[in-house]
Amino acid sequence: MRILVIGRGGREHTIIWALRKNPKAEHIFCAPGNAGIAQLAELVPIGELEFDKLVQFAKDQAIDLVVVGPDDPLAAGIVDAFEAASIPVYGPNKAAAEIEGSKIFMKNLLKKYDIPTAKYETFTDYAAARDYLAAQPVPIVIKADGLAAGKGVTVCFTREEAEQALKDTMVDKSFGAAGDKIVIEEFMTGQEMSILAFVDGETVRAMPAAQDHKPAYDGDKGPNTGGMGTYSPLPHIPQSIIDDAIENIVKPTARAMVSEGRPFRGVLFGGLMLTPEGPKTVEFNARFGDPETQVVLPRLKSDLLEIILASLEGRLGDVEIEWSDEAAVCVVLASGGYPGSYPKGLPIDGLEAAGEGLVFHAGTAEQDGRIVTAGGRVLGIVGLGAGIAQARNAAYRTASGITFEGKQNRTDIAAKALV
């Protein structure tokens, strides 16, 4: 098979790493890819949103399957573009991807179908939002409606922070057009948990739960990021709670999308909060998470390509999916300054001697024969082991041997799972 993967980050590197395990994957292309992906696939210099060029490339190269990684092209209708050209593509169409593309759509869907989530109100007018905010208790959460590279959510612990976040989002447009509409949401307490699932209409095949670390610094301090690390499984969370979330949140959401005439095909990613009242929905994403993919797919014993093909052929409910008991921990190495401004083009040392860990490239490029930094999140270092402690030690051992100027990473990834 000739496969085209769309994207350039650690998620796409991991997907390609998994797809290559199947001998049917004779030639994998990636558009546009990164320096690490270049070691596994042929890079194509076409951007994720250049739909006409991507479709033409797929036709010219007789591509048998397209796998879409990032959220932006899904929300913009890339699946519809490939389907219109009769090219098999894995991912939700534009109507289904709105579950991530619009937080207002998602919240209204959950409310309509009585799926657990935080109380909320939505606004398009700054003055109305400001007046509502003034009457609400803090902490409180302010969310840009649209896509904002994982950074459109602000948890505000004081009234001053909330007022500033509202102004930043709606007036100063810190997240661009994504902040034209907003959600003001009650603050929920509890542990967060991510459940990814292969979904085809009402068929839901959940993956093992993972837990992400969004804040930039140790102790969950600092600004939110796209994710500084993650781990799976979650030994400190009872399986009964995970099963409850699958049965009462993920599966009902898939059924709701079918009822709305927007059947979802692809990976549905539920970001959940384990509150004192039970699991509640924080968000839904319409694709593999990043860096959740980096710890979930290494635990997949079954064949990813066969699962994707089964979904496209309407056989997802029949395919056998097995998962390893092994634990996985991912530590993200980020550029100095991330998630704010950061330098690029800094040489990365130690990659050749990475040793036991899996090294998934996120923001890298090749320059003058060397691999250099090219993004905020640069590398995802994954350790595997018989338990979280062993996997965590493996990840940090590998991470310590990789260096670049300004390198930053959290030192407490998966620490909660050891308590």
Side-chain angles (χ1 to χ4, degrees), residues 344-357:
K344 296 181 182 179
L346 302 174
I348 303 171
D349 294 310
L351 289 171
E352 300 78 11
E356 61 188 311

Side-chain angles (χ1 to χ4, degrees), residues 201-367:
E202 294 193 14
T203 302
V204 174
R205 305 294 300 275
M207 306 182 207
Q211 192 168 85
D212 190 14
H213 298 67
K214 287 287 188 189
Y217 311 130
D218 286 359
D220 289 334
K221 305 295 184 185
N224 268 351
T225 70
M228 293 299 290
T230 188
Y231 61 98
S232 177
L234 311 181
H236 54 304
I237 296 177
Q239 186 61 42
S240 59
I241 292 178
I242 297 171
D243 292 341
D244 176 23
I246 294 168
E247 292 300 321
N248 295 309
I249 293 178
V250 183
K251 289 183 177 180
T253 300
R255 291 194 295 268
M257 292 293 282
V258 171
S259 297
E260 292 293 304
R262 303 170 185 245
F264 190 98
R265 172 185 284 165
V267 174
L268 185 62
F269 166 177
L272 313 174
M273 182 74 75
L274 306 183
T275 75
E277 296 85 38
K280 292 186 180 182
T281 312
V282 176
E283 64 179 357
F284 269 108
N285 296 325
R287 36 68 190 183
F288 274 112
D290 190 342
E292 290 83 1
T293 306
Q294 288 88 312
V295 293
V296 172
L297 285 187
R299 298 187 60 211
L300 178 63
K301 293 173 68 175
S302 301
D303 188 282
L304 177 62
L305 180 56
E306 293 299 336
I307 294 169
I308 289 173
L309 294 176
S311 182
L312 293 177
E313 295 165 8
R315 301 183 289 106
L316 181 59
D318 301 326
V319 70
E320 186 175 346
I321 303 179
E322 290 186 78
W323 300 92
S324 168
D325 291 331
E326 205 170 30
V329 174
C330 175
V331 176
V332 170
L333 306 186
S335 295
Y338 176 77
S341 59
Y342 50 83
K344 296 181 182 179
L346 302 174
I348 303 171
D349 294 310
L351 289 171
E352 300 78 11
E356 61 188 311
L358 295 169
V359 178
F360 294 118
H361 290 230
T364 66
E366 186 176 335
Q367 182 177 297

